[in-house]
Amino acid sequence: MMSLVSGRMVGFILAGTLVVAIALVGWQSLRQVNALIEIVRASAIAERDAHWRAEIQAAEARTAQAIADALRRTMAAEATARDQIAAADARAAELERANAQLPDRPECGLGRDRVRLLNGR
């Protein structure tokens, strides 16, 4: 009977050892899979972050270009306005000079020469 019990015990021990070995291999496999998942996850996060960094840089570049274009247009408009103001000032100075050259007469109202001057003839 002892040999029957010891034979069964050896079978149980072998079966138990096999179950423990399978459990250890399964546990190690799960650890490896989890490690691989973490590596893939970190890679995906880095890839996504790089993509959005590139998108943000492109948007910032477009914004900077738009600001530079607006500044160029503003400076051109300012130069045009400055030229127009200078031309109007020159025209006013010319009118004042021409008006000062006209003779003073004690006439009532505007004389023909002053009217022509104001009409630009």
Side-chain angles (χ1 to χ4, degrees):
M1 174 120 171
M2 215 34 169
S3 71
L4 185 61
V5 171
S6 65
R8 283 187 179 172
M9 287 301 279
V10 170
F12 284 130
I13 291 173
L14 286 176
T17 305
L18 185 62
V19 168
V20 169
I22 290 172
L24 285 174
V25 168
W27 180 66
Q28 285 296 334
S29 297
L30 286 176
R31 282 188 58 213
Q32 291 297 322
V33 168
N34 283 338
L36 288 174
I37 288 172
E38 285 302 315
I39 291 169
V40 169
R41 181 179 167 272
S43 174
I45 289 172
E47 202 174 304
R48 183 192 66 219
D49 288 349
H51 167 76
W52 286 113
R53 272 192 210 98
E55 287 289 327
I56 289 169
Q57 287 175 346
E60 287 174 350
R62 285 190 303 270
T63 302
Q65 184 63 38
I67 290 170
D69 291 342
L71 184 60
R72 271 191 234 101
R73 286 191 306 270
T74 301
M75 291 174 68
E78 185 178 299
T80 302
R82 197 176 315 119
D83 292 343
Q84 290 174 351
I85 290 170
D89 287 345
R91 175 75 177 133
E94 176 63 28
L95 284 175
E96 286 179 17
R97 186 192 58 73
N99 186 46
Q101 288 178 352
L102 292 175
D104 276 340
R105 294 188 200 146
E107 299 172 356
C108 181
L110 295 175
R112 183 174 48 168
D113 293 334
R114 292 198 198 283
V115 171
R116 284 184 179 166
L117 179 66
L118 291 174
N119 284 336
R121 295 184 195 172

